[in-house]
Each structure stands twice: as C-alpha cells, then as structure tokens.
Amino acid sequence: MIIKHGWKLLGVVILIYTFIVGLLVPLKSGILEVSPQSVQPGRNISFRVLGYNTHYLSGEIRAWLKMDEEYTLASSQILIQNDRELKVIFGIPRFLPTADKVQDFTLLLDNEVDGAHLLPSAVFVTQDSINPAMGRLEWPPERITDLHEKEGITFPFRNILAETIRNTYFHVPMWFAMIFLFLGAVFYSGRYLRSKRSVDDFRAFTMIRVGVLFGIMGLLTGAVWAKNTWGAYWSGDIKQNMTAICLLIYMAYFVLRQAYEDPDQRARIASVYALFAFAAMIPLLFVIPRLTDSLHPGNGGNPALGGEDLDNTMRMVFYPAIIGWFLLGLWMAQLSFRIERLKERLLENED
Amino acid sequence: MQLIREIAFLLHKELTLELRQKYALGGILLYVLATVYVVYISFVKVDPANWNTLFWIIILFASVNAVARSFLQEHSGRQLYYYTLANPIAVLVAKILYNFLLLLLLSVLTLGAYSVVAGYLIRQPVPFLWAVLLGSLGFSIALTFVSAIASKASNASTLMAILSLPLLIPILATVIRLAKASFIPKAGVMIPIKSDLYILAGIDMLLLGAALILFSFLWRD
C-alpha cells in the first residue's frame, strides 16, 4: 500500500512544498538602480540609490564604492529618504589608481537588517588625466569590515530577474520531467519491441503524451519568463527553437498512431518511430544548443546552473521540485495508461 | 562479404529500376527546375544569406519528394520477396546508398539551375561540398527510414511529410550554418567549420545506427 501509492503522495507533498517555499520565501535585499551611472572624478557626487526589499530606516547604513580587492572608497554622507531610497554622497578623488580611462565600480551597501548587498558595475568613472601613481596616493587602502548577513531563509536577488527567479522551480524542473518521461517512453518502446505486449506500448504512449504536455508547459512558462527578462515571448533563442522542433517530432508520433488501424502494427511502428525520433533528438537537445550562442544559462560555454545561478537555498527547493514534477508526471501517465487499457477492454467486449 | 555483395546487387537493381522508369527521374528534374524558377520569380535578386537558405529549402522539399518513393513505389508483396532473398539490412542499406546518390545528383542539378537564374555566389567551395555530402547522407538515411515507416500506412505521402520534416530540421540547420562559410570572400576571415562538420557526421552516424538496429523490427509484417 505504502509503496504502491506512497510515491504519488510524496510527489504531491514535494510539489506543495515547492509552491509554498518557492513562492513565499523572500528575496535578499538588492539594489535596483543607481543614478547617475557615469561620473567624473575630483568632486563630491550625490547618488540616488533605489533598493529592493530593503529597510533603510532601521539601523545604520554604510556604503562603499569598490574598485577591486585593494581600492575601496567609503561614502562621506548618507541621506535616508525612505525604506527603499537613499542619497549617498561620495567624494571621488581627482585621480584613479588605474591606467584605464573608464573604470567601473561596484556599489556596496550594508546595514543590520538587510545585510550586505551590492550592484556590480553600478558606477562608471571617466577620468580625463590619467595618473595611477597619484591615484594610489589619493586612495588610502580601506578595509571593509563587519559586514552583516541578512537573517532568515532568502533567495538571491539578481538585478534583471528579481522575483522571476522563482520560475526556476517551475520552468526548469518541467523540462527535466519531460526528458525523464521521454526516456521512460524510450525504455518502454524498446521493451515493447522485445516483448510485444501491448501494455508496454501503452506505457510509452502515455508517457509521451504527458511528456509533450510538460514540454508545452515548459515552453509557456519559459515564454512568460523570457518576456520579463529578455523582452520578448519568442526571441528565436536556439533552445526555444530546438524545443519547438522536439514537440513537432513528438506530435507527429500521435498522428502516426492514428494512421494505423491494426493495433499490433500501430504499436510496433509507433515504438520504432519513438526510438528513432529520440535518437534524432539527442543532438537537438544536448549537443547543438551547447555549441551555439544562447540567452539561456548553460550555453555558449557558460556553466549550466553553476554556482552563480543557484545558491544553496535555491537548491533546497530546486532539486526536490525536479523530483516532485517528475512524480506528478508519472502519476498522470499512469492514469492515462489506465484509461487506454480500459478503452481497449471496452473494444474487446464489444466484439 | 555476403552482405556487401547483396548490397551491391540490390543497388544495381534500384538503379536499373530507376532508369527503366524514366518519368520518375524526369519528374524530379522538372520539380527542381520549377521550384528554382518559382524562387527566382519571387525574389529576382538574392543576397548570399538568402541564396544559401533558399538552396537548402529547395533541396529539402525535393529530397522529401524524391526519397518518399523508395519504399512506397514497390508493392509490399514484392518487398517481402526481397526480404526472403536477401538480408533485410542489405535492402535498407542499398536503398540508403541509392537515395544518397540520387540526392547528390539532385543537389548538383539544383546548384546548376539555381546558379543560372540566381547567380553563382559560392566563394569557397570546400564547406559547401562537405555540406552537400554529409547533408545528402543524413537526409537519405532519415528519409529512407521514415519512408519505410510511412509505407505501411494508407495515406503514406502525407505521413511522410509530417514525420520527416521535423526530423530533418537539425540536419538542415547544421548544414545551412556549415554552408554559410562558403559565401565569405576568399580574402575574408575563414569561419571555423570543424565543430559543424563533427555535429553533422555525428548526426549521420547516430541516425544510421538507429536505422540499422530498428529496421529489423520494422520490415516484418
């Protein structure tokens, strides 16, 4: 009983956990915007800083402009406008300790409640007269100490993603579930060709059916995400195109099944096609996208889901989410399988 | 050895069959000419990027039409007779080889006709040559196998199109990217084509392997 139905319960529990934790855990504090972005050295400049999920009214705030590990400039004054807005004034020396004409600085903020949060390349300083030696004198080495950590469980804040980072628990695991279901279909198709038992063919058929559903869901969740972050629902990204082709290939499978009257012939030819189609899809899914430029992480040489994209808190939701969606997919496939079996029996009884 | 002899004999049979029914070859030739002319009428002046893409799209549809016949044209009873005479794998390989040759011929014809009406824009023939060779091989393997699948159904030609077009897209996309390198003037930068070549060869091998393994489950009725 427990083994027979436990996995379904497990899938549902994991998905409930995914929804609750994935949607409710707050994001870390972050910096949305800094203006002006481009300044010149040798004067006091007041920056307007917009924070996200920040509590600037509670507690003392410190701010730095960070060039590299060695050179950092502390702010001369911070005016708190409200919980999410600051005016930070930096007195930038006349010379920069670098020979580059344009140098970017990371803005780092720290207070007790929000912890340390930063915006990389927040400010660009353009210097007209370059003198690194003078710059080194005018920038006394400053150490940043006693940074705070935000307390509680949080997800990372990414400037472009913001709250949409939660889609990681829906969009990505649906792909994994789709691939696992298609792999399952490959297994059962192969088994059908050996055993010639129609149940194996039904298993493969229903797994592909649910896999295609997950594929469409993945495409839709991805399109909404892409609209938010890349600016368009469909940007002809290589993975989007390859996925669309994959779905076409598997939709052809359904048409193929319709084309044969004889159930044995249908099962045999559908199994052969499912295996052949999967072989054709291997380069589509795993090779070509990795060699082509793409907006997705994990392409054009970027590491997929590397340390930058996924922190430990996110892993605690992301990995269970994969299992949860996959188990839900299996359950759906099983229900669909039973319906197919019943239909077959109904047909047999009619004869 | 036996297998190779069988393949050679069956290949000979396919060629004889083709030459006897001249209307089939003539039909494909006319199809290519008509399509090329349609493209020419719709575009008049074609720049290199479009030239490349259009060329492969013409090849794609001509190939689907040309190869569709390989398992459809002969009566299923006669095919069963072949399978009793020779190894079914030999039948498949002979058909793949024959279609490969047919697609090479098709490519040459298309290139000739296309160059006459739209201009010959290829600057470096080597990548293009590879694209034609490996592309024709991949098309031939995928289409021959799909034609074997579709031939068992009643509305085989529709099935042929919807099954094969999505399967061919990965080959088509790689081939188009590979062939792009041919349109860069000699003095310009060479585009590295190695990775595309490997992908294309990999796809071909993968499809061939899958086709050879799966065909033994397909031919028995």
Side-chain angles (χ1 to χ4, degrees):
Chain A
M1 178 72 188
I2 285 186
I3 293 176
K4 202 173 170 197
H5 299 290
W7 59 275
K8 297 173 200 165
L9 190 67
L10 182 69
V12 172
V13 168
I14 291 177
L15 280 183
I16 291 172
Y17 161 79
T18 306
F19 271 91
I20 292 176
V21 178
L23 292 180
L24 292 186
V25 165
L27 294 190
K28 279 203 172 65
S29 307
I31 301 168
L32 278 181
E33 203 186 300
V34 175
S35 60
Q37 272 193 312
S38 176
V39 297
Q40 286 180 331
R43 57 189 83 165
N44 279 334
I45 296 158
S46 152
F47 293 96
R48 184 167 160 271
V49 177
L50 279 183
Y52 188 85
N53 266 4
T54 49
H55 309 82
Y56 292 145
L57 291 176
S58 52
E60 180 206 4
I61 306 176
R62 295 176 297 161
W64 294 274
L65 276 182
K66 196 170 175 235
M67 186 176 114
D68 50 28
E69 287 308 314
E70 209 173 334
Y71 293 102
T72 304
L73 184 70
S75 65
S76 54
Q77 199 186 351
I78 299 179
L79 302 168
I80 298 166
Q81 310 285 327
N82 56 44
D83 253 347
R84 275 181 292 283
E85 198 178 336
L86 291 179
K87 265 205 167 68
V88 185
I89 296 162
F90 285 100
I92 300 176
R94 281 171 303 155
F95 299 102
L96 302 185
T98 171
D100 293 336
K101 190 166 168 53
V102 181
Q103 173 67 43
D104 63 304
F105 287 86
T106 300
L107 178 70
L108 177 67
L109 293 176
D110 180 63
N111 73 1
E112 208 168 312
V113 182
D114 301 324
H117 48 291
L118 50 79
L119 181 66
S121 300
V123 175
F124 291 85
V125 180
T126 311
Q127 52 178 351
D128 290 328
S129 46
I130 296 168
N131 192 337
M134 281 292 285
R136 277 193 281 275
L137 282 179
E138 290 191 2
W139 288 62
E142 173 141 9
R143 290 272 164 262
I144 303 175
T145 48
D146 304 325
L147 285 181
H148 296 92
E149 278 272 347
K150 185 167 175 127
E151 281 177 26
I153 306 165
T154 49
F155 295 141
F157 173 86
R158 297 262 172 271
N159 199 248
I160 302 168
L161 294 178
E163 295 285 348
T164 68
I165 201 167
R166 301 174 196 279
N167 204 358
T168 316
Y169 314 129
F170 304 96
H171 172 66
V172 190
M174 277 178 195
W175 285 123
F176 279 89
M178 178 193 81
I179 303 261
F180 289 149
L181 284 166
F182 284 166
L183 279 174
V186 165
F187 171 76
Y188 279 111
S189 295
R191 204 161 96 164
Y192 173 79
L193 290 178
R194 293 193 165 279
S195 70
K196 307 281 182 204
R197 290 184 320 171
S198 65
V199 280
D200 287 332
D201 174 56
F202 283 149
R203 287 245 183 247
F205 170 50
T206 51
M207 277 184 166
I208 289 178
R209 192 187 249 170
V210 180
V212 167
L213 177 71
F214 271 69
I216 292 171
M217 294 296 293
L219 211 60
L220 292 180
T221 50
V224 175
W225 206 3
K227 177 70 185 167
N228 248 292
T229 51
W230 305 338
Y233 290 111
W234 196 268
S235 37
D237 183 69
I238 183 87
K239 274 200 172 170
Q240 288 181 325
N241 284 337
M242 294 291 159
T243 309
I245 299 165
C246 263
L247 290 179
L248 277 181
I249 289 179
Y250 272 111
M251 282 173 184
Y253 172 87
F254 298 134
V255 179
L256 182 72
R257 289 187 76 92
Q258 299 290 315
Y260 296 95
E261 294 286 322
D262 177 43
D264 287 335
Q265 195 185 28
R266 176 200 300 146
R268 188 162 46 85
I269 289 178
S271 303
V272 168
Y273 177 78
L275 289 172
F276 192 69
F278 192 79
M281 269 181 20
I282 290 173
L284 211 64
L285 284 175
F286 303 110
V287 186
I288 297 176
R290 276 175 195 280
L291 294 172
T292 320
D293 287 335
S294 168
L295 299 161
H296 274 91
N299 301 101
N302 304 327
L305 302 172
E308 275 285 303
D309 298 319
L310 208 59
D311 81 343
N312 282 330
T313 326
M314 288 187 76
R315 283 199 180 91
M316 274 162 52
V317 187
F318 178 67
Y319 293 140
I322 295 175
I323 300 169
W325 286 109
F326 175 55
L327 288 179
L328 184 74
L330 273 187
W331 190 9
M332 288 166 77
Q334 199 190 43
L335 290 178
S336 174
F337 166 76
R338 286 195 194 144
I339 294 171
E340 291 302 314
R341 282 289 300 278
L342 289 176
K343 271 191 202 157
E344 192 198 24
R345 270 199 215 143
L346 228 66
L347 278 176
E348 276 168 6
N349 289 345
E350 268 174 20
D351 289 341
Chain B
M1 256 352 267
Q2 177 68 22
L3 193 68
I4 295 173
R5 222 170 319 143
E6 279 177 6
I7 291 171
F9 189 82
L10 284 164
L11 188 60
H12 183 247
K13 180 223 86 181
E14 295 281 340
L15 285 170
T16 323
L17 214 63
E18 190 70 73
L19 290 175
R20 244 183 238 161
Q21 314 175 306
K22 294 212 177 53
Y23 75 93
L25 260 185
I28 294 169
L29 176 63
L30 213 56
Y31 181 91
V32 165
L33 285 179
T35 323
V36 165
Y37 206 72
V38 165
V39 166
Y40 170 67
I41 290 289
S42 353
F43 275 82
V44 182
K45 189 149 171 46
V46 191
D47 62 66
N50 289 337
W51 195 101
N52 189 22
T53 314
L54 285 171
F55 175 82
W56 289 106
I57 289 176
I58 296 171
I59 293 284
L60 174 72
F61 283 96
S63 310
V64 173
N65 273 313
V67 180
R69 295 172 311 124
S70 61
F71 276 93
L72 305 186
Q73 66 174 354
E74 289 180 81
H75 197 265
S76 63
R78 202 201 297 176
Q79 271 174 25
L80 208 58
Y81 175 57
Y82 293 144
Y83 298 140
T84 58
L85 286 182
N87 188 338
I89 296 293
V91 177
L92 179 72
V93 173
K95 279 198 197 287
I96 287 176
L97 281 179
Y98 167 71
N99 286 324
F100 175 55
L101 296 177
L102 184 67
L103 292 187
L104 282 185
L105 177 71
L106 196 80
S107 307
V108 173
L109 287 177
T110 310
L111 184 62
Y114 197 40
S115 301
V116 169
V117 294
Y120 180 78
L121 300 181
I122 296 173
R123 294 287 167 269
Q124 301 181 53
V126 178
F128 198 80
L129 220 63
W130 275 114
V132 167
L133 266 178
L134 291 174
S136 300
L137 185 62
F139 278 16
S140 156
I141 297 165
L143 286 170
T144 309
F145 193 76
V146 170
S147 133
I149 289 179
S151 67
K152 305 266 170 39
S154 43
N155 48 351
S157 47
T158 324
L159 206 53
M160 180 78 196
I162 59 160
L163 291 186
S164 57
L165 289 182
L167 281 180
L168 292 181
I169 293 175
I171 307 177
L172 188 74
T174 322
V175 154
I176 288 180
R177 222 179 37 209
L178 174 60
K180 255 185 207 154
S182 285
F183 295 89
I184 289 166
K186 261 229 158 59
V189 209
M190 264 297 278
I191 295 181
I193 58 167
K194 255 201 185 125
S195 72
D196 280 335
L197 271 183
Y198 289 151
I199 291 181
L200 210 49
I203 295 177
D204 288 0
M205 288 300 108
L206 200 69
L207 289 180
L208 184 65
L212 289 182
I213 293 169
L214 292 172
F215 191 66
S216 55
F217 297 104
L218 196 59
W219 65 269
R220 277 185 210 110
D221 250 332

